[in-house]
Amino acid sequence: MADIHSQRILILDFGSQTTQLIARRVREAKVYCEIHPFNISLKDIEEFAPRGIILSGGPSSVYDEGAPAVSRDLFDLPVPMLGICYGMQLTTRTLGGRVEKSTHREYGPADLVIDETGDLFHGLAPAPVRHKVWMSHGDRIEVLPPDFVKIAHSASCPVAAMRHAERPIYGVQFHPEVAHTEIGTEVLGNFLFRVCGCQPTWNMRSFIETATADIREKVGAGKVICALSGGVDSTVTALLINRAIGSQLTSIFVNNGLLRKNEPETVLAFLKGMGLNVHYVDATERFLTRLKGVDNPEEKRKIIGTEFIKIFEEEAGRIGDVNFLAQGTLYPDVIESVSFKGPSATIKSHHNVGGLPEIMKLDLIEPLRELFKDEVRSVALELGMNEDLVFRHPFPGPGLAIRILGDVTEERLEILRETDAIVLEEMKKSGWYRKVWQSFAVLLPIRTVGVMGDERTYEHVVAIRSVDSLDAMTADWTRLPYEILARVSNRVINEVKGVNRVCYDISSKPPATIEWE
Ligand code: XMP
């Protein structure tokens, strides 16, 4: 079997919002790549042995004080390079060309005219054909570095792409990684396959084989435990490890009493059906007792986190002689810890089992560390997870406790579960479930007056939230058709005892958050 990591691309991150997108596009072309900070040492680059290097865009100007820079020696490496936007300007400046402020910023769509097709633009129509590309820059190349030639231009950008006369060093001012650049896939593909000579070997089938072999080697005869939440990441982690070492893995599924309607039963049945050795712990009583009278959301989170760790430790102790703890860490969490400023600095991640590895002194196994979420979903489908589970909306670790504002009681949980189930059912029935990032119900700790039949009622208010998002960092409320909202409202008020009013949340993030807490 071809080693899926043997042909890899290094992406140097200069802090662009789209650095992760470059990586996703390269992976979609079935070539393995990693993102590293721009100041990684030359020695580390040589050890990484990339087939090609992509220099990302970035928010700085090359002349800013403290702007990220690279050593000239980088360009002496015998490796093909592609500078994108800031990456191109930095290449220019470092190799002796001149970059200057444009008379006006170019932001958004632009028409690119290809002056020379060559390898990078192979197969694309040359001048006078115009190609729609996406630009975002304030500076532009005024003087090419020695030995470079211009290969494309646009109305406000005389050098929109360049190449070295003899060596495989390229630069593009536009962003091939964004969907608005119609020729983006071709340009990146040409760089990967024609310039770098990569083969498309990275796919989820081969990933599964490689990951299985790696897990076997790492674990040997050891014992592994894994906390299952029923979410895609932890389930795929467990399925992969189960594939590698079978009964040496025990998965622990804790029912904290804060799950959605029928969730523990559905998840448990699925996991057992997949042949996992699952240890089910119903800790509903324990969690609800600890949460009694607590209405501060941060305190709720703390209590739930601490209780979870206690239970997990007790169960691990019962299993005995455990060596490894498996976690469903994904690639975006890994990049976050190394990246310079950039997109990563702003990403908030939620660690549901925070602190667990340190406390338990176990070695970590994180088989999904190099995957993006969409790749995890492909692995999940390959491993036989059904679409319902694979495309489930995100669900917070502290569960319904942060969707009940105020005190969490059995009665409130019951109301919220029933309401939430109706929301999900209607979203699925109408085909909207797969179109949105997340949809759910929130129970407010207030009552309002209503009238049912001849009687006045004084009951709970629920809010429905549905948002569109790409990464949960920003989100907008979904413009759901009125008919769906009407059906949900009607059903909730008629079917859920204790609710007489339904509202729809029309706030975006920021300034609101997705969860109400
Ligand atoms: P906020 O409310 O911060 O939520 O806009 C962003 C995304 O994160 C999810 N979320 C969590 N996910 N554990 C998780 O795994 C948590 O503790 C947690 N809290 C919030 C939230 O549902 C949304 O998708």
Side-chain angles (χ1 to χ4, degrees), residues 15 44 80 115 147 228 248 438 443 455 464 480:
D44 286 343
D115 302 305
D147 299 323
L228 277 181
Q248 283 164 261
Q438 216 170 353
L443 181 65
E455 280 180 41
I464 311 298
L480 283 177

Side-chain angles (χ1 to χ4, degrees), residues 301 348 350-352 394-398 402-403 437-438 440 472 509 512-517:
R301 279 182 176 274
K348 173 180 101 184
H350 298 276
H351 300 285
N352 297 332
F395 186 66
I402 58 165
R403 291 181 180 170
W437 171 265
Q438 216 170 353
F440 55 89
K509 171 183 180 176
T513 49
I514 296 179
E515 303 290 344
W516 283 41
E517 314 240 353

Side-chain angles (χ1 to χ4, degrees), residues 21-36:
L21 211 49
I22 303 174
R24 305 241 330 244
R25 295 285 170 265
V26 172
R27 299 262 186 110
E28 277 163 23
K30 300 192 168 46
V31 175
Y32 182 70
C33 64
E34 286 182 17
I35 300 173
H36 287 271

